Amino acid sequence: IKETYMRQDEAGKGQIIIKSVSDSKIKKTISIYSVWYNPFWERDVQWIFIKKTELLDNDTIRIYNENGEIFDLKLIKYKVKKIK
């Protein structure tokens, strides 16, 4: 893995994108959480962004979002577990 970066897509998912070391192409896009949108409010004011990530060990990235939720992403099997 060369790099990971975060995004909130238009469908309301907080995602982690993983790029390959060898060719910098996207290796995997993993949805970490989904956001329900109130149809009476503007969508962009309801976005919940990934605030911070940290590498816990060689297999786990911890992800924090703006709502105070915490998730662990296992890199070998791409499994997401909600911690808080």
Side-chain angles (χ1 to χ4, degrees):
I1 295 173
K2 177 181 181 183
E3 169 184 20
T4 62
Y5 62 96
M6 309 160 274
R7 75 176 182 189
Q8 170 89 28
D9 74 351
E10 287 300 315
K13 295 180 182 127
Q15 298 179 323
I16 296 287
I17 291 100
I18 298 173
K19 288 187 171 184
S20 171
V21 173
S22 59
D23 57 13
S24 293
K25 291 186 179 178
I26 292 176
K27 182 177 176 184
K28 190 83 172 168
T29 300
I30 302 125
S31 293
I32 306 301
Y33 59 88
S34 295
V35 177
W36 177 83
Y37 289 118
N38 183 328
F40 300 106
W41 294 358
E42 290 186 40
R43 188 171 277 219
D44 63 343
V45 299
Q46 300 178 70
W47 288 346
I48 300 169
F49 290 99
I50 293 173
K51 184 169 76 171
K52 176 179 141 182
T53 61
E54 63 185 6
L55 190 61
L56 295 183
D57 54 42
N58 287 337
D59 180 41
T60 309
I61 295 176
R62 180 152 288 172
I63 300 142
Y64 302 84
N65 71 15
E66 292 178 318
N67 268 4
E69 296 172 305
I70 303 170
F71 304 86
D72 281 353
L73 169 62
K74 295 290 187 180
L75 295 172
I76 292 174
K77 295 188 177 183
Y78 302 115
K79 300 272 184 182
V80 177
K81 179 181 179 185
K82 185 173 182 178
I83 304 300
K84 175 184 169 198

